[in-house]
Amino acid sequence: MRIFCFFLLWSILASSAIAANDTAPLAPGHSALPYRPAAAGSYRLPPIGPAADGEVLSTADKALRLHDLMGDKLVVLSFVYAACSDVNGCPLATQVLHKIGRQLQKQPELAKNLRLLTLSFNPLDTPETMRHYGAAFHAGEFDWQFLTTRDDAALQPILDGYQQSVQKIYDDQGRFTGTFSHLLRVYLIDRNKNIRNIYSVDFLHADTLINDIKTLLAGDSEAAEPPSASDAQLLRPGDDKQGYQQTDYRTRSLALTQRKGQAARLIEFARKPPLGLPKLPQPADNPLTPAKIALGRKMFYDRRLSLNDTFSCAMCHIPEQGFGNNEMATAVGIEGRSVRRNSPTLYNVAYAGLLFHDGRENSLEQQAWGPLLAHNEMANPSIGYVIDKIKTDAAYRTLFAKAFGKGPTMETVGQALASYQRTLNAADSPFDRWYFGKQAKAMPNEAKRGFELFTGKAGCNACHRITPDYALFTDQRRHNTGIGYAEAMQKTPEKQRIQVAPGTFVDVATANLQGVAGEKASDLGYYEISQNPADRWSYKTPTLRNVALSAPYMHNGSLASLADVVRFYNNGGTPNENLSPLIKPLGLTEAEIADLVAFLQALTGSNVETLVSDAFAAPVGDQQ
């Protein structure tokens, strides 16, 4: 009777939650998958990191270590609290595990190799509470254990270890309401106590989770030594996801364990820039030194410089993706927060007179603080918060003393990050060797024809400048090309095509996307800074060096390929009252478009592999 009453109570809570949330779509885990999942064993699940340990209580009030319940079987670990009424929260996790339990009853071989663990993050959920909670769902002969903790002191290290953000909710009188704000996460853990997948509300589904379990049981592809990668694979300039729209796409990415780079003498790329670049400009109050570069390099890859220790500069500016991001049109920051604009490449950023897409900053030292403090990027609440966090690290205190003769400050943090970025200079491209080096065969004929178009019929060099001695491929100015105008003025379609896997697309009603995506913020370009109406939708002219590595293109990542970019300009941009007078239809043929693309592809520097290899060798700062 008590079990029935508990189940009835949970059902009432869940029904109420559905009623309260009937304006928001249910998570995918509540219904059938709208696509066919990849076959079990046809993919790999590389280890993400070690599963955290901690002291828990069983439903018999027996003290256990979480790791005591791992190692002999695969484990699916979920976090809940008994009174949760968010239909897309704890009830979703429990329902998905309940569905898995029903499948385990029909597959005894699978059942004997799997353990389900449901841990309450509310210490007020006693062992008896969790026993009744579990009894309402657990039926059949399979291993599903319900756990809690003795108190907050025992719980918090576990939440920290799994990066579970849980906050108590208080009423307007400051009293705890018995409810929590949290992000749903479910973890798949292997026999070596490594996390192999993490499922959020948008990706948690019984069918995909069962497939992942079967994939691990089919052979645990990580048990063997990973295949070695040739230097050419390891150091290739970018994982640009070309062909991802095709069903036969095969990833060219490499596991982190294979990315064993080699540190480079980065200061040499500043002292003697590669062919095609001018002398490096350096501020008088921040001359480059090896100590500053090493410190800035360490900070660039350190996730601890974000609010919750999970996000580094390199997670938006990915070295093997052109120090940008080939996989997202616009950037995503801490906790999946959306950023309005595309991650720009950092190659040759030392020469940029305007920084950020709208050109609102003019020095790397100042620019560095923008992402550190932006709520949707690294989300630190204040300058002092960042500096105090750095000061607590003994290694950083030593490095700052060596580089600057003093500890971290607002000034020295910016100077260190700027110093590393000033060494990311990549040139000596086929174009440079042909144009500046006078090597007749350094560039293919189609690229030579593209150069004639670039400086002639297409008129690209009006903004992307080339001088007799060097080429930065930018005029260091802002222009309205119509891209921003088109995005601001276009009507929202009733349906949007969403790619969910290579070659697999689904048409989703725009209304159904509103529950999983915030309203898209408007973007007026430099007008937001200047407040001059003439600056609406104006953005800086980016360099074209290494442009083949930095897809997708434009400030909003709206153009997927170089051919798309050339066709956009060939059509004369998007007309609007502030359109740059330099933008006009070009009249290029398809053959000429191909030649122009070939020229742009000839702008990739010869030392890109060295810079990527150095990045792979850099330490990745993370919580210990």
Side-chain angles (χ1 to χ4, degrees):
M1 182 66 181
R2 294 177 70 183
I3 292 173
F4 172 76
C5 290
F6 193 92
F7 182 75
L8 180 62
L9 174 61
W10 184 88
S11 299
I12 292 170
L13 286 171
S15 299
S16 300
I18 291 172
N21 290 279
D22 58 5
T23 57
L26 291 175
H30 287 293
S31 56
L33 278 177
Y35 59 91
R36 180 180 296 176
S42 66
Y43 55 92
R44 301 169 68 234
L45 293 170
I48 295 173
D53 195 13
E55 185 176 328
V56 296
L57 296 175
S58 71
T59 53
D61 203 13
K62 179 183 177 182
L64 299 167
R65 302 293 299 178
L66 202 50
H67 275 189
D68 294 340
L69 301 171
M70 301 176 184
D72 59 325
K73 298 180 180 183
L74 301 184
V75 167
V76 176
L77 171 65
S78 64
F79 290 83
V80 304
Y81 72 103
C84 180
S85 61
D86 179 358
V87 70
N88 287 334
C90 311
L92 170 64
T94 307
Q95 177 181 309
V96 168
L97 266 60
H98 186 51
K99 288 180 179 178
I100 291 172
R102 293 204 301 268
Q103 293 194 42
L104 294 179
Q105 294 179 59
K106 303 173 186 177
Q107 303 179 61
E109 194 62 31
L110 192 64
K112 74 179 185 181
N113 288 293
L114 180 66
R115 176 175 295 125
L116 308 180
L117 299 179
T118 295
L119 172 60
S120 173
F121 52 75
N122 182 5
L124 298 179
D125 287 340
T126 65
E128 183 180 11
T129 301
M130 293 308 292
R131 179 166 61 84
H132 290 304
Y133 183 86
F137 307 103
H138 191 187
E141 297 299 320
F142 59 91
D143 190 354
W144 189 355
Q145 301 189 34
F146 292 80
L147 309 166
T148 188
T149 53
R150 195 169 300 283
D151 52 32
D152 285 323
L155 173 66
Q156 196 57 50
I158 299 175
L159 295 180
D160 291 342
Y162 288 94
Q163 298 179 4
Q164 280 277 18
S165 177
V166 175
Q167 296 179 338
K168 293 180 178 179
I169 296 177
Y170 296 88
D171 63 19
D172 54 8
Q173 302 298 317
R175 293 171 299 200
F176 175 44
T177 62
T179 58
F180 297 83
S181 171
H182 68 102
L183 294 176
L184 175 68
R185 282 179 179 157
V186 175
Y187 302 81
L188 176 59
I189 300 168
D190 66 18
R191 289 188 175 95
N192 294 320
K193 303 175 185 176
N194 286 319
I195 297 171
R196 302 299 283 270
N197 210 347
I198 303 174
Y199 309 89
S200 64
V201 64
D202 293 322
F203 299 100
L204 180 62
H205 197 284
D207 293 348
T208 53
L209 213 166
I210 283 285
N211 271 17
D212 287 352
I213 293 165
K214 290 179 177 179
T215 293
L216 293 187
L217 291 175
D220 202 350
S221 57
E222 291 301 312
E225 192 69 25
S228 60
S230 67
D231 287 346
Q233 287 178 309
L234 181 66
L235 303 179
R236 65 174 175 271
D239 181 11
D240 60 11
K241 293 291 185 290
Q242 289 185 20
Y244 193 70
Q245 297 84 356
Q246 308 303 318
T247 54
D248 60 352
Y249 170 80
R250 293 293 180 270
T251 182
R252 296 172 294 280
S253 62
L254 294 170
L256 286 173
T257 53
Q258 293 178 268
R259 299 178 178 186
K260 299 181 192 243
Q262 182 174 352
R265 285 182 52 81
L266 295 176
I267 198 168
E268 295 304 321
F269 295 126
R271 288 173 174 166
K272 187 179 180 182
L275 179 66
L277 292 175
K279 181 180 178 181
L280 187 76
Q282 296 184 47
D285 61 351
N286 190 27
L288 284 177
T289 67
K292 291 180 188 177
I293 295 167
L295 172 57
R297 176 175 176 260
K298 176 179 171 66
M299 295 172 67
F300 188 86
Y301 297 95
D302 196 335
R303 301 178 186 185
R304 296 171 299 173
L305 295 190
S306 65
L307 173 63
N308 64 357
D309 305 316
T310 63
F311 208 84
S312 72
C313 304
M315 293 176 74
C316 276
H317 301 283
I318 305 168
E320 67 272 30
Q321 297 187 25
F323 278 93
N325 190 327
N326 301 151
E327 299 171 69
M328 295 183 181
T330 55
V332 171
I334 185 174
E335 296 179 339
R337 300 176 190 178
S338 297
V339 179
R340 293 186 302 173
R341 296 173 182 170
N342 175 259
S343 298
T345 180
L346 295 184
Y347 282 127
N348 303 314
V349 71
Y351 296 94
L354 302 175
L355 297 164
F356 295 110
H357 283 291
D358 54 24
R360 65 183 181 272
E361 287 289 0
N362 55 24
S363 85
L364 287 170
E365 285 78 4
Q366 295 165 187
Q367 178 276 335
W369 281 100
L372 285 168
L373 299 178
H375 79 281
N376 57 350
E377 296 187 50
M378 299 173 80
N380 290 292
S382 68
I383 294 167
Y385 180 89
V386 177
I387 293 169
D388 288 346
K389 181 182 279 192
I390 294 172
K391 284 180 178 177
T392 63
D393 188 283
Y396 270 130
R397 291 198 298 270
T398 300
L399 289 171
F400 270 92
K402 182 178 179 181
F404 297 102
K406 59 183 177 180
T409 65
M410 182 180 182
E411 180 182 41
T412 57
V413 167
Q415 288 177 330
L417 283 166
S419 294
Y420 171 62
Q421 293 177 76
R422 282 199 176 94
T423 67
L424 301 178
N425 303 315
D428 187 37
S429 65
F431 162 75
D432 294 310
R433 295 192 292 276
W434 172 74
Y435 188 78
F436 297 113
K438 310 303 180 185
Q439 299 177 27
K441 297 182 179 181
M443 193 166 71
N445 289 332
E446 57 268 29
K448 294 175 183 176
R449 295 194 299 268
F451 171 75
E452 294 302 322
L453 291 165
F454 188 91
T455 56
K457 179 178 179 180
C460 309
N461 66 324
C463 296
H464 299 282
R465 301 284 177 79
I466 301 171
T467 75
D469 302 315
Y470 61 85
L472 295 181
F473 289 97
T474 176
D475 59 1
Q476 309 281 17
R477 298 178 66 187
R478 304 177 189 87
H479 300 277
N480 177 330
T481 65
I483 281 280
Y485 172 85
E487 182 178 45
M489 298 301 176
Q490 68 183 358
K491 291 184 178 179
T492 302
E494 292 185 0
K495 288 190 174 183
Q496 296 185 42
R497 174 151 280 205
I498 306 296
Q499 183 172 3
V500 295
T504 303
F505 297 82
V506 292
D507 291 324
V508 181
T510 298
N512 291 341
L513 294 174
Q514 292 175 355
V516 295
E519 179 127 4
K520 194 162 187 179
S522 63
D523 190 339
L524 295 174
Y526 189 60
Y527 168 78
E528 296 176 7
I529 309 302
S530 71
Q531 297 295 296
N532 182 346
D535 290 328
R536 284 176 297 167
W537 306 298
S538 289
Y539 302 90
K540 74 168 188 175
T541 304
T543 179
L544 296 182
R545 286 196 172 275
N546 310 290
V547 70
L549 309 180
S550 59
Y553 303 102
M554 315 308 275
H555 74 277
N556 58 359
S558 59
L559 300 181
S561 69
L562 288 173
D564 291 340
V565 175
V566 176
R567 289 191 180 97
F568 171 78
Y569 286 113
N570 193 40
N571 291 331
T574 301
N576 66 91
E577 62 184 285
N578 290 334
L579 184 70
S580 168
L582 297 171
I583 306 296
K584 55 188 176 182
L586 304 177
L588 300 176
T589 66
E590 281 300 311
E592 289 173 327
I593 289 173
D595 287 343
L596 199 46
V597 168
F599 170 70
L600 296 172
Q601 291 171 334
L603 300 180
T604 301
S606 65
N607 64 319
V608 161
E609 293 180 356
T610 302
L611 293 174
V612 173
S613 176
D614 176 82
F616 286 173
V620 176
D622 209 343
Q623 288 284 50
Q624 299 301 314

